[in-house]
Amino acid sequence: MNNFQPDDCVLKEFIQKLNHLFIDITRLTYEREGEKIVGGYCQLEVATLDSGESTAKRVAAKQLRLEGLQTEPTRLAYRLARELKVWSGLQHPHVLPLLGFYLGDDYKLAVLISEYMSYGDLKSYILKSKPSFNERLRLVRDLTDGLAYLHSQTAPIRHGDLKPVRCIIS
């Protein structure tokens, strides 16, 4: 019944090709009082990458989750691989850049790591900052530029769950 094999060569080959994006989880220091957002398929936390180093930076760590993870941990690895396949090839001023990922040896922990955007999501930003009409228009233009870029890919990318809380403001 279980179609997922932990020794799947295709999965391992794909992950190996993206090894340059691998970030060891021990390099992350999670903020105790930082934001923690829990959704149906992920948990998002603020962390510092390389804390104490001159290159330290705040990041968003998105830990992927699946139902029934105990019985099929490789499903999580395949989900990570799907997201990496799409996200790692994107480069646009209005698409959040991927910094890297972590995948545990036992496939039970998968984390996508991106830059932390201090202004938060679009909904919170508008409620807190009360931007002018022209600023709101610029935000809409930036958002549609990013979407147009996603849709213009050779295999068009559809976000699937776009809403103000998923749009991050830099």
Side-chain angles (χ1 to χ4, degrees):
M1 185 106 75
N2 184 349
N3 296 333
F4 299 100
Q5 301 299 317
D7 59 353
D8 184 17
C9 293
V10 175
L11 176 63
K12 287 183 178 183
E13 252 181 60
F14 179 77
I15 296 294
Q16 188 61 38
K17 286 180 185 174
L18 292 174
N19 198 46
H20 64 284
L21 292 173
F22 180 81
I23 296 175
D24 192 312
I25 200 82
T26 61
R27 293 175 56 197
L28 294 179
T29 305
Y30 290 94
E31 296 183 4
R32 290 182 193 181
E33 304 299 320
E35 291 179 66
K36 187 177 200 175
I37 301 168
V38 178
Y41 297 102
C42 71
Q43 175 175 304
L44 187 68
E45 291 186 73
V46 178
T48 301
L49 177 63
D50 297 330
S51 183
E53 304 290 326
S54 61
T55 58
K57 67 167 40 181
R58 286 181 90 192
V59 296
K62 178 182 176 183
Q63 181 177 337
L64 304 180
R65 301 181 323 167
L66 283 176
E67 295 286 326
L69 184 60
Q70 300 78 9
T71 57
E72 298 182 279
T74 54
R75 288 187 64 203
L76 188 63
Y78 277 99
R79 180 158 169 243
L80 175 76
R82 277 195 310 273
E83 289 207 36
L84 285 172
K85 183 178 181 184
V86 173
W87 200 1
S88 67
L90 301 177
Q91 188 171 2
H92 187 271
H94 303 300
V95 174
L96 185 67
L98 173 70
L99 294 178
F101 74 96
Y102 173 81
L103 179 62
D105 291 335
D106 59 1
Y107 295 163
K108 290 185 178 179
L109 179 61
V111 182
L112 292 162
I113 302 163
S114 64
E115 292 184 33
Y116 175 76
M117 298 290 137
S118 59
Y119 288 105
D121 66 77
L122 180 60
K123 183 179 179 180
S124 299
Y125 176 76
I126 288 175
L127 290 173
K128 288 178 193 170
S129 301
K130 310 223 184 300
S132 68
F133 175 79
N134 286 337
E135 175 66 13
R136 288 175 188 231
L137 194 57
R138 186 186 66 76
L139 290 168
V140 169
R141 192 172 39 248
D142 291 349
L143 176 61
T144 55
D145 283 351
L147 274 176
Y149 169 75
L150 294 176
H151 296 171
S152 72
Q153 299 302 296
T154 304
I157 299 167
R158 179 181 60 90
H159 187 282
D161 195 18
L162 190 63
K163 48 189 165 186
V165 295
R166 301 235 195 293
C167 300
I168 309 301
I169 308 298
S170 63

